[in-house]
Short mmCIF file of all heavy atoms in Angstrom, two decimals:
data_model
loop_
_atom_site.label_atom_id
_atom_site.label_comp_id
_atom_site.label_asym_id
_atom_site.label_seq_id
_atom_site.Cartn_x
_atom_site.Cartn_y
_atom_site.Cartn_z
N ILE S 785 0.15 -3.36 11.34
CA ILE S 785 0.71 -2.99 10.05
C ILE S 785 2.10 -3.46 10.00
O ILE S 785 2.84 -3.52 10.94
CB ILE S 785 0.50 -1.51 9.80
CG1 ILE S 785 0.82 -1.08 8.35
CG2 ILE S 785 1.45 -0.68 10.76
CD1 ILE S 785 0.39 0.30 7.98
N ILE S 786 2.54 -3.87 8.79
CA ILE S 786 3.92 -4.41 8.62
C ILE S 786 4.88 -3.17 8.50
O ILE S 786 4.48 -2.07 8.16
CB ILE S 786 4.02 -5.34 7.41
CG1 ILE S 786 3.55 -4.72 6.10
CG2 ILE S 786 3.19 -6.54 7.64
CD1 ILE S 786 4.63 -4.16 5.25
N SER S 787 6.11 -3.50 8.62
CA SER S 787 7.18 -2.40 8.70
C SER S 787 7.62 -2.12 7.33
O SER S 787 8.83 -2.30 7.01
CB SER S 787 8.27 -2.79 9.62
OG SER S 787 7.79 -3.11 11.01
N GLY S 788 6.79 -1.52 6.51
CA GLY S 788 7.21 -1.21 5.15
C GLY S 788 6.01 -1.11 4.21
O GLY S 788 4.84 -1.04 4.71
N ASN S 789 6.21 -1.04 2.94
CA ASN S 789 5.14 -0.88 1.95
C ASN S 789 4.25 -2.12 1.87
O ASN S 789 4.74 -3.22 2.11
CB ASN S 789 5.65 -0.56 0.62
CG ASN S 789 6.66 0.62 0.61
OD1 ASN S 789 7.74 0.48 1.20
ND2 ASN S 789 6.19 1.72 0.06
N THR S 790 2.93 -1.98 1.77
CA THR S 790 2.01 -3.03 1.99
C THR S 790 1.47 -3.88 0.81
O THR S 790 0.78 -4.74 0.90
CB THR S 790 0.79 -2.49 2.74
OG1 THR S 790 0.20 -1.29 1.86
CG2 THR S 790 1.10 -1.98 4.04
N ASN S 791 1.92 -3.44 -0.43
CA ASN S 791 1.38 -4.09 -1.63
C ASN S 791 1.86 -5.55 -1.78
O ASN S 791 0.92 -6.40 -1.91
CB ASN S 791 1.73 -3.28 -2.87
CG ASN S 791 1.00 -3.75 -4.12
OD1 ASN S 791 1.60 -4.31 -5.09
ND2 ASN S 791 -0.29 -3.51 -4.15
N SER S 792 3.11 -5.86 -1.73
CA SER S 792 3.45 -7.18 -1.90
C SER S 792 3.06 -8.07 -0.75
O SER S 792 2.73 -9.31 -0.98
CB SER S 792 4.99 -7.25 -2.12
OG SER S 792 5.28 -6.75 -3.40
N PRO S 793 3.03 -7.63 0.51
CA PRO S 793 2.48 -8.40 1.55
C PRO S 793 0.94 -8.72 1.32
O PRO S 793 0.51 -9.83 1.73
CB PRO S 793 2.60 -7.49 2.87
CG PRO S 793 3.77 -6.71 2.59
CD PRO S 793 3.73 -6.45 1.14
N THR S 794 0.25 -7.93 0.67
CA THR S 794 -1.12 -8.24 0.33
C THR S 794 -1.20 -9.37 -0.72
O THR S 794 -2.12 -10.24 -0.63
CB THR S 794 -1.86 -7.00 -0.26
OG1 THR S 794 -1.76 -5.92 0.73
CG2 THR S 794 -3.30 -7.28 -0.62
N ILE S 795 -0.29 -9.45 -1.62
CA ILE S 795 -0.14 -10.57 -2.51
C ILE S 795 0.10 -11.79 -1.73
O ILE S 795 -0.52 -12.89 -1.97
CB ILE S 795 0.93 -10.32 -3.66
CG1 ILE S 795 0.52 -9.24 -4.59
CG2 ILE S 795 1.20 -11.68 -4.34
CD1 ILE S 795 1.57 -8.92 -5.64
N MET S 796 1.05 -11.80 -0.78
CA MET S 796 1.33 -12.91 0.08
C MET S 796 0.02 -13.39 0.85
O MET S 796 -0.23 -14.61 0.82
CB MET S 796 2.43 -12.56 0.99
CG MET S 796 2.76 -13.62 2.05
SD MET S 796 1.63 -13.78 3.49
CE MET S 796 1.96 -12.18 4.32
N ILE S 797 -0.73 -12.45 1.23
CA ILE S 797 -1.97 -12.77 2.00
C ILE S 797 -2.94 -13.51 1.01
O ILE S 797 -3.53 -14.59 1.39
CB ILE S 797 -2.64 -11.61 2.57
CG1 ILE S 797 -1.79 -11.01 3.72
CG2 ILE S 797 -4.12 -11.80 3.05
CD1 ILE S 797 -2.28 -9.59 4.20
N ALA S 798 -2.99 -13.04 -0.16
CA ALA S 798 -3.86 -13.73 -1.17
C ALA S 798 -3.40 -15.14 -1.52
O ALA S 798 -4.12 -16.14 -1.66
CB ALA S 798 -4.05 -12.91 -2.39
N GLU S 799 -1.99 -15.22 -1.66
CA GLU S 799 -1.47 -16.57 -1.98
C GLU S 799 -1.77 -17.54 -0.84
O GLU S 799 -2.24 -18.70 -1.13
CB GLU S 799 0.03 -16.44 -2.15
CG GLU S 799 0.55 -15.76 -3.36
CD GLU S 799 0.66 -16.72 -4.55
OE1 GLU S 799 0.00 -17.79 -4.58
OE2 GLU S 799 1.41 -16.34 -5.48
N LYS S 800 -1.64 -17.19 0.39
CA LYS S 800 -1.84 -18.00 1.49
C LYS S 800 -3.43 -18.32 1.61
O LYS S 800 -3.72 -19.46 1.86
CB LYS S 800 -1.40 -17.35 2.71
CG LYS S 800 -1.47 -18.25 4.02
CD LYS S 800 -0.71 -17.73 5.18
CE LYS S 800 -0.90 -18.52 6.43
NZ LYS S 800 -0.42 -19.95 6.29
N ALA S 801 -4.22 -17.33 1.38
CA ALA S 801 -5.65 -17.56 1.36
C ALA S 801 -6.10 -18.63 0.36
O ALA S 801 -6.83 -19.46 0.60
CB ALA S 801 -6.40 -16.19 1.09
N ALA S 802 -5.48 -18.46 -0.91
CA ALA S 802 -5.83 -19.41 -1.98
C ALA S 802 -5.47 -20.81 -1.56
O ALA S 802 -6.09 -21.81 -1.83
CB ALA S 802 -5.22 -18.96 -3.30
N ASP S 803 -4.30 -20.90 -0.94
CA ASP S 803 -3.79 -22.21 -0.49
C ASP S 803 -4.73 -22.84 0.54
O ASP S 803 -5.06 -24.03 0.49
CB ASP S 803 -2.37 -22.09 0.04
CG ASP S 803 -1.68 -23.45 0.21
OD1 ASP S 803 -1.98 -24.40 -0.55
OD2 ASP S 803 -0.67 -23.49 1.02
N MET S 804 -5.16 -22.04 1.48
CA MET S 804 -6.06 -22.48 2.56
C MET S 804 -7.41 -22.93 1.96
O MET S 804 -8.03 -23.97 2.34
CB MET S 804 -6.26 -21.46 3.62
CG MET S 804 -4.99 -21.25 4.47
SD MET S 804 -5.24 -20.16 5.94
CE MET S 804 -5.57 -18.56 5.11
N ILE S 805 -7.96 -22.09 1.08
CA ILE S 805 -9.22 -22.38 0.42
C ILE S 805 -9.12 -23.74 -0.41
O ILE S 805 -10.07 -24.60 -0.30
CB ILE S 805 -9.60 -21.27 -0.45
CG1 ILE S 805 -10.01 -20.03 0.38
CG2 ILE S 805 -10.88 -21.63 -1.30
CD1 ILE S 805 -10.14 -18.77 -0.47
N SER S 806 -8.04 -23.91 -1.12
CA SER S 806 -7.97 -25.07 -1.99
C SER S 806 -7.82 -26.41 -1.26
O SER S 806 -8.14 -27.45 -1.72
CB SER S 806 -6.70 -24.94 -2.88
OG SER S 806 -5.60 -24.92 -2.11
#
Side-chain angles (χ1 to χ4, degrees):
I785 194 168
I786 58 99
S787 302
N789 307 71
T790 52
N791 190 246
S792 291
T794 301
I795 293 176
M796 177 278 292
I797 290 168
E799 288 275 24
K800 187 168 172 59
D803 196 23
M804 291 188 293
I805 292 167
S806 66

